[in-house]
């Protein structure tokens, strides 16, 4: 039997439930699939690892990249129990994952106390209008590394 999208989503949902019941973190689970096979699994581990970046999608993407020996997952699909937060969405873009399936919406997450809409609202603002203070500092010095990268002949592009 060939697994279908619902099979993979059910696994992501199961991971969300198991992680939450095991007190590893919030009720979020994720699987990364390549050619009809689960490459990596992840569940939210924020509270158990004291790592605010240990969301289900990020942990699954990290595992998938290690498993496949690459930082791009352009031939994979991601199944997540909830619409990705801004951080996870950015990680999905960085990993070049072309298709995401999600169960709950960000509105569903907000209804149980996970309100990512605040961050979504901050993203389009210019740095000086965000709620986090953001001040430019030592740009001329920081530019040296960027100029060196621009001229580096053996860089690995991503």
């Amino acid at each position: 039997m060939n697994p279908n999208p619902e099979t993979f989503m059910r696994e992501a949902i199961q991971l969300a439930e198991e992680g939450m019941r095991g007190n590893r973190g919030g009720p979020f689970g994720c699987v990364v699939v390549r050619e009809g096979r689960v490459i990596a699994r992840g569940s939210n581990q924020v509270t158990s690892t004291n790592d605010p970046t240990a969301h289900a999608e990020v942990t699954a993407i990290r595992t998938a990249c290690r498993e496949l020996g690459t930082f791009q997952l352009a031939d994979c699909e991601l199944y997540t129990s909830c619409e990705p937060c801004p951080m996870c969405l950015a990680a999905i873009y960085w990993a070049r994952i072309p298709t995401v399936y999600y169960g709950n919406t960000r509105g569903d997450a907000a209804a149980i106390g996970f309100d990512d809409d605040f961050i979504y609202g901050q993203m389009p603002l210019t740095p000086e209008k965000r709620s986090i203070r953001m001040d430019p500092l030592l740009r001329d010095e920081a530019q040296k590394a960027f100029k060196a990268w621009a001229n580096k002949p053996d860089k690995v592009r991503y």
Side-chain angles (χ1 to χ4, degrees), residues 4-17 26-33 38 40-45 53-61 76-93 97-106 108-109 116 120:
N4 60 31
E6 289 83 8
T7 301
F8 298 126
M9 181 57 74
R10 285 188 181 101
E11 184 167 351
I13 293 167
Q14 181 179 355
L15 288 166
E17 292 172 358
F28 306 96
C30 179
V31 295
V32 176
V33 174
V38 174
R41 293 166 177 83
S43 64
N44 184 289
Q45 299 172 25
T53 69
H55 289 201
E57 297 91 337
V58 171
T59 60
I61 288 169
C76 295
E77 299 171 335
L78 186 138
Y79 295 78
T80 180
S81 64
C82 186
E83 181 179 356
C85 76
M87 176 185 69
C88 293
L89 183 59
I92 290 163
Y93 273 104
I97 299 170
T99 305
V100 173
Y101 297 93
Y102 63 92
N104 294 305
T105 67
R106 69 189 205 206
D108 297 330
D116 301 330
Y120 274 107

